[in-house]
Amino acid sequence: MSTSMPESLAAGTRRVARPAPLRQAVYDTLAEMIASGSLKPGQHLVESELAEHLGVSRQPIREALQRLAVDGWVELRPAYGAYVHVPTTEEVAQLLGVRSVLEAYSAREAAQHATAERIARLRQLYDAGLAALAADDEATLVTANADFHRYIVQISGNRVLLELISQVERRVRWYYTPIARPRGTEAWNEHETLIGAIGDGDADLAERLMRAHTERTTEFYRREFVPAHQAPAG
Amino acid sequence: MSTSMPESLAAGTRRVARPAPLRQAVYDTLAEMIASGSLKPGQHLVESELAEHLGVSRQPIREALQRLAVDGWVELRPAYGAYVHVPTTEEVAQLLGVRSVLEAYSAREAAQHATAERIARLRQLYDAGLAALAADDEATLVTANADFHRYIVQISGNRVLLELISQVERRVRWYYTPIARPRGTEAWNEHETLIGAIGDGDADLAERLMRAHTERTTEFYRREFVPAHQAPAG
DNA sequence: ATACCGCCTCTTGTATGCAATGTACTATCT
DNA sequence: AGATAGTACATTGCATACAAGAGGCGGTAT
């Protein structure tokens, strides 16, 4: 592992996007097209058409489609084709429920691994979101929110958790964007108290706050998008 | 959906393995080879070798490897090859931690969706595990344990949760097998009380019992496999 | 008129060939 | 001798070609 590389360079372990992984670019492009609605739910995706459209061969398209299927963006019918996933309100509720549980756990673990430096960084992310909120910049706000939560997971040090939450988060974001701004003000206030709890190393409080935070978001979503007569029993 | 097919046949919606998805067969085979240790951690997997070995072309091998990478069985280095994932005790601890949280949630939700029929089915699975335990059949016991937990998730009705837990469970099982039997007796006693709580629709109790159950398994694992000097702080 | 059978087309599934990239080795220079 | 640059090899990444499976459509027989 020891190289003659200057320390200043060795610090950056994250390699920038080499020209290499074309399937990754295809994946990102298609996911973006689905999330933005330019590929509509239920639409039949034909490999050859996508290939021509994106100017690549069918091979990277296939590989991207299979990962998209794993991540819940499309459904693959064995010998017949790929269809853009059709989201349901029930599914969103389930996603948000799972997310809530995972995030609460991440807050608990983060509180147990807090350092002054990490809290400072977390506060930076918090400020960035606050700025986006003030500027009424919805896209940035959604990103800032994701960054904030992701960093808490990183503080927790649980890589498995990071993977899982990332998966859920990507799918949630698809539906979530429209409520980002109206929920924004309240949400960022809650973030502030959360930082305090994590900084104090109060795991129980951090967990409770995060749970309340995400459940409030879920509730907000329900009120906004689920008609009363669809509300599940419980 | 209406066909002239006899009802006795139409009942079986699950199609048997058609000759079709070769990549799936490759995936299963490789996962099995990794789990069983016939492919060793850190080993470099070469597509062409695997292809020849399994008697297929590189294409299905590639696709299988990519799914294996998503599921944490192998690591893909962008232009150099696939390596069998090297598990660490820390990773196992993280997996078990996440699993504990998700399973607890599944128990809570299951309690809220319990029906007499479902509880009866759950009890059947419980009995099957008990039988395997009595017969000292380790492989069946591991399967029965997985089935039991999976069915609880199914009762919860949360498909997202089912997906996530399945992912985690597959990876856990890789490390978990050796402790299945020694932990078995105790674990199945705990399962019994769990059935009671779920059957009573007592969500809080079910959640607590499941959390205690999985955390005890985690603790058991730690005592067995993590040397004292490796025990993480906290 | 209706139900069934067979064909025909479309799309995916698999195989092979070629180009690009990363690693390891070796020879050379300091 | 150590470090470095150039080179050669192994392996993946991508593209194209071929084969097989699934549905849809029309013809035909009842």
Side-chain angles (χ1 to χ4, degrees):
Chain A
M1 289 299 270
S2 64
T3 71
S4 59
M5 182 185 293
E7 288 172 21
S8 58
L9 288 181
T13 35
R14 185 72 60 188
R15 306 192 167 187
V16 292
R18 293 187 305 291
L22 195 47
R23 61 184 168 212
Q24 183 62 38
V26 172
Y27 176 94
D28 292 338
T29 304
L30 291 180
E32 175 58 32
M33 289 175 78
I34 293 173
S36 71
S38 104
L39 295 176
K40 306 219 175 312
Q43 181 172 345
H44 186 186
L45 302 180
V46 178
E47 293 178 358
S48 51
E49 288 177 11
L50 295 174
E52 190 181 11
H53 190 339
L54 298 181
V56 298
S57 84
R58 272 180 57 209
Q59 175 85 5
I61 300 281
R62 277 182 71 78
E63 296 178 353
L65 281 178
Q66 297 190 15
R67 248 196 75 203
L68 286 166
V70 170
D71 290 353
W73 292 99
V74 306
E75 272 141 45
L76 248 40
R77 286 176 57 183
Y80 196 60
Y83 292 82
V84 177
H85 176 68
V86 181
T88 66
T89 54
E90 188 190 357
E91 182 195 0
V92 182
Q94 293 180 354
L95 275 167
L96 290 172
V98 171
R99 189 182 73 126
S100 182
V101 170
L102 291 176
E103 295 272 8
Y105 181 59
S106 79
R108 156 173 286 276
E109 293 287 307
Q112 292 170 345
H113 294 82
T115 66
E117 190 185 11
R118 288 168 178 169
I119 297 302
R121 172 75 183 128
L122 189 56
R123 213 170 276 282
Q124 276 181 18
L125 293 171
Y126 170 72
D127 291 338
L130 219 55
L133 194 61
D136 211 38
D137 181 347
E138 184 176 291
T140 305
L141 181 59
V142 172
T143 307
N145 187 58
D147 288 345
F148 182 81
H149 281 265
R150 188 197 326 280
Y151 189 64
I152 291 177
V153 185
Q154 283 176 354
I155 293 176
S156 81
N158 191 324
R159 303 172 71 86
V160 174
L161 188 59
L162 180 59
E163 257 178 64
L164 253 54
I165 288 188
S166 297
Q167 265 183 48
V168 173
E169 217 284 328
R170 270 197 301 271
R171 289 174 66 181
V172 169
R173 209 187 306 187
W174 183 12
Y175 322 104
Y176 177 76
T177 307
I179 69 166
R181 209 176 43 76
R183 166 95 173 106
T185 309
E186 202 182 38
W188 282 91
N189 285 339
E190 292 164 16
H191 283 171
E192 189 171 23
T193 60
L194 188 58
I195 296 177
I198 294 176
D200 293 345
D202 190 336
D204 284 336
L205 180 59
E207 179 177 355
R208 275 205 307 279
L209 287 175
M210 179 66 96
R211 185 181 303 276
H213 171 66
T214 51
E215 280 177 357
R216 225 167 275 146
T217 299
T218 303
E219 196 47 44
F220 194 93
Y221 174 87
R222 283 226 176 92
R223 274 204 306 275
E224 205 78 7
F225 287 91
V226 183
H229 65 277
Q230 280 193 26
Chain B
M1 292 295 272
S2 65
T3 71
S4 59
M5 182 184 294
E7 289 171 21
S8 59
L9 288 181
T13 36
R14 184 72 59 188
R15 305 192 168 188
V16 292
R18 292 189 305 290
L22 197 48
R23 61 180 168 219
Q24 183 62 36
V26 173
Y27 175 94
D28 292 338
T29 304
L30 291 179
E32 175 59 31
M33 289 174 77
I34 293 173
S36 72
S38 109
L39 295 177
K40 304 218 176 317
Q43 182 172 345
H44 186 187
L45 302 180
V46 178
E47 291 178 0
S48 52
E49 287 177 9
L50 295 174
E52 191 181 10
H53 190 339
L54 299 181
V56 298
S57 83
R58 273 180 55 211
Q59 176 83 4
I61 300 282
R62 279 182 69 77
E63 297 180 354
L65 281 177
Q66 296 190 16
R67 248 195 77 203
L68 287 166
V70 170
D71 290 352
W73 292 99
V74 305
E75 272 142 45
L76 249 40
R77 288 176 57 183
Y80 196 59
Y83 291 81
V84 177
H85 176 68
V86 181
T88 66
T89 54
E90 187 190 1
E91 181 195 1
V92 181
Q94 293 179 356
L95 273 167
L96 290 172
V98 170
R99 188 181 75 126
S100 181
V101 169
L102 291 176
E103 295 274 9
Y105 181 59
S106 80
R108 156 171 288 277
E109 294 287 307
Q112 291 170 344
H113 294 82
T115 67
E117 191 185 11
R118 288 168 178 170
I119 297 301
R121 172 76 183 127
L122 190 57
R123 213 170 276 280
Q124 274 181 19
L125 294 172
Y126 170 73
D127 290 338
L130 219 53
L133 194 61
D136 211 38
D137 181 347
E138 183 175 292
T140 304
L141 183 58
V142 172
T143 307
N145 186 60
D147 288 345
F148 182 82
H149 281 267
R150 187 195 330 278
Y151 189 64
I152 291 178
V153 184
Q154 282 176 355
I155 293 176
S156 82
N158 191 323
R159 303 172 71 86
V160 174
L161 188 58
L162 181 59
E163 257 177 65
L164 253 54
I165 289 188
S166 297
Q167 267 184 48
V168 173
E169 218 284 327
R170 270 198 301 270
R171 291 173 66 180
V172 169
R173 209 187 306 185
W174 183 11
Y175 322 105
Y176 177 76
T177 307
I179 69 167
R181 210 177 44 76
R183 166 97 173 105
T185 309
E186 201 183 38
W188 281 91
N189 285 339
E190 291 163 17
H191 283 172
E192 188 169 25
T193 60
L194 188 57
I195 296 178
I198 294 176
D200 292 345
D202 190 336
D204 285 336
L205 180 58
E207 178 177 355
R208 273 205 307 280
L209 287 175
M210 180 65 98
R211 184 181 303 277
H213 171 65
T214 51
E215 280 176 358
R216 224 165 278 146
T217 300
T218 303
E219 195 48 44
F220 195 93
Y221 174 86
R222 282 226 177 91
R223 273 205 307 275
E224 205 77 6
F225 287 91
V226 184
H229 64 279
Q230 278 191 30

